[in-house]
Structures are given as C-alpha cells and as structure tokens.
Amino acid sequence: ASLKRQCPYFCVGAAGLLGDGAFCKQIPPPRQTRLLHPGLRLMVENKDLLVKLRKKTGYSFVNCKKALEKFGSDAKQAEAWLHEQAQKEGWSKASKLQGRKTKEGLIGLLQSGSTAVMVEVNCETDFVARNMKFQQLVQQVAMATMAHHQQKKENLSTCIKSFLGTDALYRLKIGADGLSLTDQLALAIDKGKLGENMAIKRAAWLAVPSDCYIGSYIHGALLAESPSLANMVFGKYGALVVCRMSEPALKGSLSQLGRRLGQHVVGMTPLSVGSLEDQPGDETETKMLAQPFLLDPGMTVGQYVQTSGVTVLDFVRFECGEEAELTEHS
C-alpha cells in the first residue's frame, strides 16, 4: 500500500489523506530551483571583477573593461596593462607640458624618530598643489628619499646630512611594483588628471645620534586631504634644525624649542650657523646665532639657545619656488 500522510491543513475526508506524489490543492507545490545560465553567471563574475579592478586602480570603467576583455578576465594582467598604458599616456601628456613654468607646489616634511626628510615638488598653480593626488606624489618622494637612506642611520655617532637633486630623485623607486619616481610622476599627470607640468625638485635627509634632536617647522601648513597622508606636513616654507642637548632632562621640551628655531630660520633666512663668539648683528646679519631672535628681538639666537641649554649644529631651509642649487650626494 502506498504511504499516506496527513495534509498539514487538516483537510476533511479522503482528500485529507495524500498518497505519494499527490498534493493537496491547498498546498502549493515546492518551487523548482532555477540554475543560472552559464553565460549569465560569467557576466555576474565579470561585473564583480570590473568593480574590484576599478576600485583598486582608480581607472575608468571603460578602460578596466577593456583590460579585462583583452586578458580574458585575468585581473593581474589587466592591472599591469592599465598601469603601463597610464604611464605611456602620462609621459605623452608630460612631454607636451614641458617648458611651462612650475613656480608653485609644496614643501613636504616627513619625520621618523631620529631622521627627517624635507622635499620640494613643484607644479604650475596653487590649485593643483592643494589636490590630494599631488600631495600623494609629494608623500611618495619623501618616503622614497627616506627609504634610500635607511642603511645610513645605523650606529650613528655623528649627524649626517644628505641632499638629492632632480636627477637622483627621479631614479629612486617606491612601492611593491618598484616604479621609479619618474613613473609615479607620469601616473600623477595621467591618472590624477592634474593637467599641469610638474617637477620633483630636491630633497634633504637628516639623521642624528641619540644626544641630538631635529627640530622642524612648516610655514603655511595645509591640512592633509586624506588619512593616508597623516604622516606628512605640507606647506610653502620649511626648516629643519639640528640641536645637541646639554642636559638629557631637556629632551621633553625640545619639540617646542625646535619649532621656534625653525620659525626663525624660515623668517630670517640665515646662511650659516655661525658661532656664539660672533658679535650681535642687525637684520642684515646672515649668521644664525648672531641674528636677532625672531620671536624675541631683544636677544640673539645665540643667547636664546644658551639659556635653553642646547647647541645648534646645523639647519636646512626650503622655500617653494626659490632658485637654489644643492650639492648632490648619496
């Protein structure tokens, strides 16, 4: 006899007893699972790949779709091809922009422990200088400079200062893909759609031993446009000042002291440190320690640092757009 089961709706009479394969009219038959057509499934997967590639690279949907079609939905090859094409386009645009003056831009400051980097990257207008893509380029230059000097800071017994000019900077590489700063510049012009001539001008790197400190100051500092830029400070003028502590107890107050000395260097434009033995000068004085202190003209910088218990050893000053020659060494 065929198995019988009671209708869950408690139908009365024989109709309430259901045989195998029979369904009560009050009970809708189970839905059949529909499988996606292979072609439709492929379209969904390709769309996901397209969205991911667009989000990762920042290139247009049209170019990302073209890249995926070209390499049979191989995302890795598609991404590499997109970067290659962008570099070509960037260099094509960059070559057309060459010769246009780049007097604007940013000074970028990156500090890490006992080391500091200050760089200058130029563009044509202040509008582009405030663009996040341009600021990211400045960050890349600073990080590449820091990485280039990484080995030099080990077992320091004295202060080290190094300058890099345009040619040396363009050869530096950064990132897992090993792109040079030359390529990064091309990408910024094309991918960033900045549309201006840009130039990586110069960089200074400083490292000090444990009994010294690097004070810093950036004038006209801009707020970073992205959390990823939080390790950077951007502005139009910058200064790094190397100080030696006479007393370890002073280390906690060195940040403010270094900032004040940096302000002086930016504002008074000294050409050398000078000596505590130098006679006090006026506003035309070029030796830092003999200059009237910017924040208290009643005393010289030398008198100020003596009362603060530190010795000024060196400094670096950058002004965006200035004509300056740097001694280039690695």
Side-chain angles (χ1 to χ4, degrees):
S2 62
L3 294 174
K4 302 292 183 181
R5 52 191 169 86
Q6 182 68 37
C7 171
Y9 286 88
F10 301 101
C11 294
V12 181
L17 295 174
L18 304 177
D20 293 339
F23 295 96
C24 174
K25 292 181 179 179
Q26 299 187 44
I27 306 175
R31 293 181 178 179
Q32 294 183 354
T33 303
R34 292 187 177 182
L35 296 177
L36 287 175
H37 187 278
L40 185 59
R41 188 187 302 116
L42 186 60
M43 288 175 63
V44 172
E45 290 175 354
N46 283 348
K47 185 177 180 181
D48 289 341
L49 275 176
L50 179 60
V51 171
K52 289 179 181 177
L53 187 62
R54 166 79 170 96
K55 185 176 181 180
K56 183 178 180 181
T57 64
Y59 297 112
S60 68
F61 275 110
V62 173
N63 286 337
C64 288
K65 183 174 182 293
K66 183 178 179 181
L68 288 171
E69 290 174 348
K70 183 178 179 68
F71 294 99
S73 298
D74 187 317
K76 189 173 182 180
Q77 290 189 59
E79 182 181 349
W81 182 80
L82 283 168
H83 287 316
E84 182 182 341
Q85 292 303 113
Q87 288 173 43
K88 289 179 180 178
E89 288 295 321
W91 277 117
S92 175
K93 293 177 182 178
S95 63
K96 295 176 183 177
L97 297 170
Q98 283 182 355
R100 286 161 55 167
K101 293 182 179 180
T102 55
K103 288 294 185 180
E104 295 295 333
L106 288 175
I107 303 300
L109 170 67
L110 173 64
Q111 281 191 269
S112 176
S114 61
T115 60
V117 165
M118 194 161 60
V119 302
E120 180 182 356
V121 183
N122 301 118
C123 56
E124 295 179 45
T125 66
D126 186 57
F127 176 77
V128 164
R130 294 175 180 274
N131 185 287
M132 183 181 71
K133 295 294 185 183
F134 183 80
Q135 293 176 8
Q136 287 174 337
L137 176 63
V138 179
Q139 181 189 46
Q140 289 173 328
V141 176
M143 293 177 67
T145 303
M146 185 73 81
H148 176 70
H149 293 91
Q150 201 66 26
Q151 295 180 343
K152 289 188 176 183
K153 71 176 186 178
E154 297 177 3
N155 303 317
L156 279 180
S157 58
T158 185
C159 303
I160 301 178
K161 178 170 65 174
S162 174
F163 289 116
L164 293 176
T166 299
D167 292 341
L169 286 168
Y170 279 146
R171 292 193 296 269
L172 297 186
K173 296 183 178 182
I174 187 171
D177 49 10
L179 290 179
S180 68
L181 289 180
T182 305
D183 293 329
Q184 296 290 0
L185 179 67
L187 286 171
I189 292 175
D190 180 62
K191 184 178 173 183
K193 296 179 171 60
L194 299 179
E196 287 192 5
N197 190 21
M198 294 184 288
I200 300 172
K201 186 173 182 179
R202 54 179 170 168
W205 174 84
L206 290 174
V208 297
S210 58
D211 63 338
C212 294
Y213 178 82
I214 303 175
S216 63
Y217 174 69
I218 294 290
H219 185 73
L222 301 176
L223 292 176
E225 293 293 327
S226 167
S228 63
L229 299 169
N231 63 340
M232 296 290 299
V233 183
F234 304 104
K236 295 296 184 181
Y237 301 80
L240 299 173
V241 184
V242 178
C243 304
R244 173 173 285 127
M245 300 169 284
S246 59
E247 300 177 27
L250 288 170
K251 194 166 186 177
S253 61
L254 274 177
S255 177
Q256 185 61 26
L257 177 68
R259 175 181 170 81
R260 289 174 177 173
L261 291 173
Q263 284 178 290
H264 176 90
V265 170
V266 165
M268 297 296 288
T269 322
L271 299 180
S272 63
V273 174
S275 167
L276 292 175
E277 306 301 321
D278 294 330
Q279 293 295 313
D282 55 19
E283 293 184 355
T284 62
E285 178 61 60
T286 61
K287 296 178 181 178
M288 179 180 176
L289 296 180
Q291 290 179 325
F293 184 38
L294 180 68
L295 303 182
D296 186 358
M299 65 169 67
T300 64
V301 176
Q303 292 167 342
Y304 173 69
V305 296
Q306 275 187 308
T307 59
S308 301
V310 300
T311 302
V312 176
L313 302 178
D314 204 352
F315 67 86
V316 177
R317 181 186 185 276
F318 278 5
E319 179 179 339
C320 188
E322 70 179 342
E323 296 293 334
E325 293 184 5
L326 294 177
T327 302
E328 191 173 308
H329 55 85
S330 57

